[in-house]
């Protein structure tokens, strides 16, 4: 099958045929043959493109996704010469904007629907007027002049908005609890302690569209009867902290925070509190303890924060993303939001793509999209076109999913069933050169370090698991280790006090389930299939390929390589520290990892 | 700074803000937008921005507005530079280092031709 | 984060001013500790003692809070502090090799400060810059897309 570098799609719907589409196709083909491009450019027929109102014919060229409009037969030669021969877009025939194209033709990579990311990159986050120009604070205006608190809560409930921090609890319900709680003062808290490695959606919103969060919080406060709010932002995000403080100041200056907002009689103010580097403070009770000036240790619930939260007063905690969705739900209506998504997960979700995928960064897609679509269509596939091995979802408390599960539809329930979690929306993609035991150990190292230490199953259990995994990676695995690991995972999961403990075993559990062969290879064969675990690999110089150029020997930091010029070199395995420098440098690919 | 005391006040401010923006786009000036979010900076956006400013300064170029914004989209393409010539669509360039920035200004901003090699989808 | 060592009187003055500006409520403890850490590079025993007196809190409580949070240090730090992101995405994107190179170039283990007091090597949790991993911060400078080869060059920028 010939490989065409370009495809031209010409619409042959009835209207276009009337206008002469087939003539155009013929002319195109002739021109392509004339220019000697017949092996490179393929002309295809397709359904309607563009506006039927125009006199001429529209066509699309891929892969550039260029849309030429209103063409007549005379235009063809120039177009072919310009675009296919000279490689330049023939500007005079260009249709408006790419945005239009994507909606019509559903071009790959744009399966995104941007709700909370709508303003990012389009506004100056430090200028409140940019936000207002794009309907900022209009939702607040509507809420304060046209809706009662109960109506707001109902609207949010009907939209199906669920907590975007990972727990997925219906937001409207949470607000109702606070509303009905007894207390002379109530608090509205925003959890911006996005600690999950690989998640950065909150940061993007805080830095790029801070007012969407502020507006969401004010609306929530009005609905639930809160008078003071806190945004708890992790210290690792200093720019987000700064941006948020400036935004709050601006909102205050404009009278959108403080007393008697928009003349409604409702008063609410906001303050930013910084974290200090404790992952566990993403857990709501630990977060509140931190604001109170204590160690960030979770406490048992009940009582829930809605009854007794910050300083024992009724408090509502929601994630950055949850609040950011609120203004648009109010403006566009619950039905609009509920129409997007899948089953019980309405609306969109941001996913932070990281790891071995080509397009890393933040995307926002409706629930229901499959993992495969995210990784290959939106993510562009695996870096260097290597093979996919696993994807870890939801942060360090999420599971690792293998290829067989790539067709699952992303939503809260599906991921939980698969042994992982939606969590923060982080997606770490891993290619064939990843050792899954090493990954499990790596995540356990993180969770063990971040364990607050309060309850024994988590504090001691995670340490035990880490010890065993480390031993296995060092080639000292013992029969019975796998059973012990399984037992520990269950114990920790069932008996821990908070989400960190409950979720900590997930990477281990899921890798045991889907990649058992790798564990067995490490333990019984003392072999690391992915060639990662240093104690289980050996660097060897291949006799037939080595030319004795001495490049490796000269660069070896521990002088482990010996050999005469032009003679095959040898690596001493006892000295070798497996840093990998020689393998990277060798111009003849003569060094193999066994 | 205007204090908004009612919904009407808010709507009025929105109208004014929209007018200001409309003015900007018909001002006949070229806009160069550099993504200076944390990711951009980590990828070297500061050097790129400096290169752009230096070039403009050095060559005494006028009628060009330089703006900064946050993280624009796909991180692996940072530093991202966007060029809007008067009356034309926004064109995005990815992984722009100082050298590429110079080329973009020469060929696109001054010469009117998009630098295909560096262009990325929006 | 490069700071000079402060004398006793200076420490007390700094703490007093901070309490004046923030107020002495317990909720202000962490913000104040963060500022002390920023100004002096770490939270010394002297600072804890003075703070306890100003805020009417037991030293043990302050100490327990200061040691809980990773970004607060009760140990003195070097002139330049390197924070290397040790989270999974950076690790997967090649961070493992960069880390090994760092360890070799500096001759340090994680958490250590060099004898000559020039460097302190720390790891940090995810900075949310996973799109340009591996990532590291030296003082206030952020470096993304770091490769092992770049390490010596980056380090040589600092006195």
């Amino acid at each position: 099958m010939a490989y065409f570098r370009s495809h031209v799609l010409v619409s042959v719907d009835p209207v276009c045929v009337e206008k002469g589409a087939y003539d155009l196709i013929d002319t195109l083909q002739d021109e392509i043959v004339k220019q000697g491009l017949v092996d490179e450019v393929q002309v295809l027929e397709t359904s309607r493109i563009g506006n039927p109102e125009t006199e001429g014919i529209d066509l699309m060229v891929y892969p550039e996704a260029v849309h030429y409009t209103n063409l007549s037969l005379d235009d063809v030669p120039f177009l072919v010469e310009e675009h296919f021969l000279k490689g330049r877009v023939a500007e005079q025939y260009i249709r408006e904007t790419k945005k239009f194209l994507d909606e019509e033709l559903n071009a790959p990579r744009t399966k995104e629907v941007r709700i909370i990311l709508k303003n990012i990159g389009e506004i100056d986050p430090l200028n409140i007027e940019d936000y207002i120009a794009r309907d900022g604070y209009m939702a607040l205006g509507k809420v304060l002049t046209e809706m009662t608190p109960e109506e707001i809560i109902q609207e949010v409930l009907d939209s199906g908005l669920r907590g975007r921090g990972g727990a997925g609890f219906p937001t409207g319900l949470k607000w109702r609890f606070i509303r009905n709680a007894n207390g002379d003062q109530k608090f509205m808290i925003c959890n911006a302690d996005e600690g999950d490695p690989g998640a950065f959606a909150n940061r993007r919103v805080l830095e790029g569209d801070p007012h969407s969060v502020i507006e969401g919080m004010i609306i929530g406060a009005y609905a639930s009867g809160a008078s003071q709010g806190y945004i708890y932002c992790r210290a690792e995000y200093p720019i987000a902290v700064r941006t948020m403080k400036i935004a709050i100041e601006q909102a205050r200056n404009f009278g959108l925070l403080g007393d008697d907002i928009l003349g409604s009689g409702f008063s609410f103010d906001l303050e930013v509190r910084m974290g200090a580097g404790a992952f566990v403070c993403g857990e709501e009770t630990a977060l509140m303890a931190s604001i109170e000036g204590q160690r960030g240790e979770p406490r048992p619930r009940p009582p829930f924060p809605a009854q007794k939260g910050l300083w024992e007063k009724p408090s509502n905690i929601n994630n950055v993303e949850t609040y950011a969705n609120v203004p648009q739900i109010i403006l566009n209506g619950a039905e609009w939001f509920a129409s997007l998504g899948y089953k019980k997960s309405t609306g969109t979700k941001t996913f932070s793509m990281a790891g071995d995928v080509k397009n890393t960064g933040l995307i926002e897609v409706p629930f229901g999209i499959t993992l495969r679509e995210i990784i290959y269509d939106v993510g562009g596939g695996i870096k260097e076109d290597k093979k996919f091995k696993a994807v870890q979802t939801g942060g360090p408390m999420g599971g690792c999913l293998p290829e067989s599960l790539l067709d699952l539809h992303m939503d809260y329930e599906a991921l939980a069933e698969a042994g992982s979690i939606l969590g923060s929306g982080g997606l770490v993609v891993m290619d064939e050169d990843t050792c899954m035991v090493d990954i499990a150990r790596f995540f356990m190292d993180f969770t063990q370090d971040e364990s607050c230490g309060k309850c024994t199953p988590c504090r001691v259990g995670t340490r035990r698991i880490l010890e065993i995994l480390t031993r296995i990676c060092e080639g000292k695995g013992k029969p019975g280790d796998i059973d012990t690991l399984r037992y520990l995972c269950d114990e920790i999961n069932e008996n821990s006090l908070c989400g960190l403990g409950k979720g900590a075993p997930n990477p281990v559990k899921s890798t045991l389930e889907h990649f058992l062969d790798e564990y067995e290879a490490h333990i019984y064969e003392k072999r690391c299939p992915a060639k990662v675990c240093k104690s289980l690999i050996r660097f060897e110089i291949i006799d037939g390929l080595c030319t004795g150029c001495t490049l490796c020997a000269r660069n070896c930091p521990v002088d482990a390589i010996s050999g005469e010029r032009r003679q095959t070199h040898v690596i001493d395995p006892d000295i070798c520290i497996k840093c990998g420098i020689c393998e990277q440098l060798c111009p003849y690919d003569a060094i193999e990892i066994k | 700074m205007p204090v908004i005391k009612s919904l009407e006040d808010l709507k009025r401010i929105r109208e004014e803000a929209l007018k200001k923006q409309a003015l900007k786009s018909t001002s006949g000036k070229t806009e160069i937008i550099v993504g200076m979010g944390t990711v951009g900076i980590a990828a070297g956006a500061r050097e790129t921005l400096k290169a752009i400013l230096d070039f403009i300064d050095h060559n005494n170029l006028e009628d060009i507005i330089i703006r900064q914004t946050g993280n624009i989209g796909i991180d692996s393409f940072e530093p991202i530079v966007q060029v809007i010539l008067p009356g034309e669509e926004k064109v995005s360039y990815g992984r722009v280092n100082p050298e590429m920035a110079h080329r973009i200004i020469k060929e696109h901003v001054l010469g009117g031709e998009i630098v295909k090699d560096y262009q990325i989808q929006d | 984060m490069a700071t000079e060592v402060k004398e006793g009187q200076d420490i007390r003055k700094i703490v007093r001013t901070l309490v004046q500006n923030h107020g002495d409520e317990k909720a202000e403890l962490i913000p104040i500790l963060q500022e002390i850490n920023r100004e002096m590079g770490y939270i010394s025993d002297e600072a804890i003692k003075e703070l306890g007196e100003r805020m009417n809190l037991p030293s043990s409580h302050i100490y327990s809070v200061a040691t809980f949070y990773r970004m607060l240090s009760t140990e003195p730090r070097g002139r330049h502090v390197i924070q290397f992101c040790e989270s999974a995405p950076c690790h997967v994107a090649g961070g493992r090799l960069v880390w090994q190179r760092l360890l070799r170039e500096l001759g340090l283990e994680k958490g250590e400060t060099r004898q000559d007091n020039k460097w302190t090597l720390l790891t940090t949790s995810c900075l949310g810059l996973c799109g340009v991993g591996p990532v590291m911060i030296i003082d206030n400078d952020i470096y993304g897309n770091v490769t092992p080869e770049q390490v010596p060059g980056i380090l040589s920028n600092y006195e």
Side-chain angles (χ1 to χ4, degrees), chain A residues 81-152:
Chain A
E81 196 189 55
E82 228 7 64
H83 190 129
F84 297 109
L85 223 47
K86 296 196 185 154
R88 288 206 295 247
V89 168
E91 301 290 347
Q92 56 264 58
Y93 305 120
I94 292 291
R95 230 277 186 206
E96 297 162 17
T97 66
K98 289 236 185 80
K99 228 182 346 143
F100 174 90
L101 301 175
D102 292 336
E103 281 167 44
E104 276 241 292
L105 294 164
N106 225 3
R109 233 231 323 114
T110 313
K111 293 197 172 184
E112 288 190 64
V113 173
R114 301 201 149 194
I115 297 184
I116 67 167
L117 297 185
K118 165 171 93 95
N119 287 337
I120 311 274
E122 304 287 335
I123 61 170
D124 179 359
L126 297 177
N127 184 353
I128 189 174
E129 288 184 9
D130 271 9
Y131 182 68
I132 294 178
R134 288 167 74 97
D135 292 341
Y137 291 108
M138 283 296 147
L140 178 62
K142 177 174 175 188
V143 144
L144 291 176
T145 53
E146 293 171 23
M147 298 173 81
T148 65
E150 196 38 61
E151 281 169 349
I152 302 168

Side-chain angles (χ1 to χ4, degrees), chain A residues 44-248:
Chain A
L44 300 166
E45 298 166 11
T46 184
S47 53
R48 183 171 76 80
I49 302 173
N51 193 342
E53 248 57 77
T54 60
E55 271 202 323
I57 312 218
D58 284 22
L59 56 81
M60 283 285 300
V61 184
Y62 277 99
E64 305 90 45
V66 177
H67 181 159
Y68 290 114
T69 188
N70 208 10
L71 297 166
S72 65
L73 293 179
D74 294 343
D75 299 324
V76 173
F78 175 79
L79 192 72
V80 173
E81 196 189 55
E82 228 7 64
H83 190 129
F84 297 109
L85 223 47
K86 296 196 185 154
R88 288 206 295 247
V89 168
E91 301 290 347
Q92 56 264 58
Y93 305 120
I94 292 291
R95 230 277 186 206
E96 297 162 17
T97 66
K98 289 236 185 80
K99 228 182 346 143
F100 174 90
L101 301 175
D102 292 336
E103 281 167 44
E104 276 241 292
L105 294 164
N106 225 3
R109 233 231 323 114
T110 313
K111 293 197 172 184
E112 288 190 64
V113 173
R114 301 201 149 194
I115 297 184
I116 67 167
L117 297 185
K118 165 171 93 95
N119 287 337
I120 311 274
E122 304 287 335
I123 61 170
D124 179 359
L126 297 177
N127 184 353
I128 189 174
E129 288 184 9
D130 271 9
Y131 182 68
I132 294 178
R134 288 167 74 97
D135 292 341
Y137 291 108
M138 283 296 147
L140 178 62
K142 177 174 175 188
V143 144
L144 291 176
T145 53
E146 293 171 23
M147 298 173 81
T148 65
E150 196 38 61
E151 281 169 349
I152 302 168
I153 292 178
Q154 193 58 49
E155 189 78 3
V156 173
L157 259 174
D158 289 343
S159 74
L161 179 66
R162 292 165 71 171
R164 293 290 191 258
F169 192 84
T171 310
L173 216 52
K174 248 187 178 174
W175 291 7
R176 183 170 280 161
F177 288 155
I178 309 286
R179 174 149 199 87
N180 295 336
N182 288 324
D184 54 346
Q185 188 183 32
K186 299 179 186 173
F187 294 109
M188 207 70 183
I189 306 177
C190 175
N191 187 340
D193 190 62
E194 185 178 49
D196 279 357
F200 38 88
N202 289 355
R203 181 172 62 69
R204 193 62 64 83
V205 174
L206 292 166
E207 288 180 5
D209 194 8
H211 288 283
S212 63
V213 179
I214 297 176
E215 193 180 357
M217 287 184 81
I218 307 176
I219 294 176
Y222 181 65
S224 33
S227 56
Q228 173 68 34
Y230 293 97
I231 299 180
Y232 186 85
C233 183
R234 61 199 299 252
E236 290 87 338
Y237 291 171
I239 298 184
V241 170
R242 181 175 158 269
T243 306
M244 199 34 105
K245 282 186 177 164
I246 294 176
I248 290 178

Side-chain angles (χ1 to χ4, degrees), chain B residues 17-62:
Chain B
L18 281 168
K19 267 197 227 130
K20 258 194 245 172
Q21 287 194 348
L23 262 175
K24 251 199 284 178
S25 65
T26 55
S27 68
K29 298 197 181 195
T30 301
E31 270 184 273
I32 301 181
I33 308 169
V34 182
M36 289 282 280
T38 326
V39 183
I41 292 177
R46 279 220 178 96
E47 285 71 33
T48 304
L49 178 62
K50 189 164 176 302
I52 295 175
L53 292 172
D54 281 347
F55 190 94
I56 292 179
D57 199 37
H58 207 63
N59 293 294
N60 280 322
L61 299 177
E62 288 177 358

Side-chain angles (χ1 to χ4, degrees), chain C residues 5-16 33 36 40 42-54 59 62-63 74:
Chain C
V5 179
K6 304 263 193 227
E7 294 301 304
Q9 253 193 337
D10 286 338
I11 297 179
R12 285 196 288 279
K13 192 154 155 258
I14 292 174
V15 172
R16 242 174 294 143
L33 285 173
I36 296 177
M40 309 202 307
Y42 75 112
I43 303 166
S44 62
D45 288 342
E46 272 238 57
I48 292 180
K49 190 155 154 284
E50 180 69 19
L51 195 54
E53 280 171 32
R54 299 276 137 208
S59 294
I62 301 180
Y63 189 73
T74 48

Side-chain angles (χ1 to χ4, degrees), chain A residues 11 90 145 171 259 313 318 343 360 432 438 490 530 581:
Chain A
S11 161
T145 53
T171 310
D259 291 327
K313 310 253 164 89
N318 276 130
K343 294 195 187 167
T360 49
E432 55 192 306
D438 174 57
D490 285 337
I581 289 187

Side-chain angles (χ1 to χ4, degrees), chain B residues 4-20:
Chain B
I4 309 180
K5 294 241 179 71
S6 65
L7 187 52
E8 282 64 46
D9 282 350
L10 184 62
K11 288 189 179 153
R12 200 176 24 86
I13 296 198
R14 184 177 62 160
E15 295 313 315
E16 284 170 22
L18 281 168
K19 267 197 227 130
K20 258 194 245 172

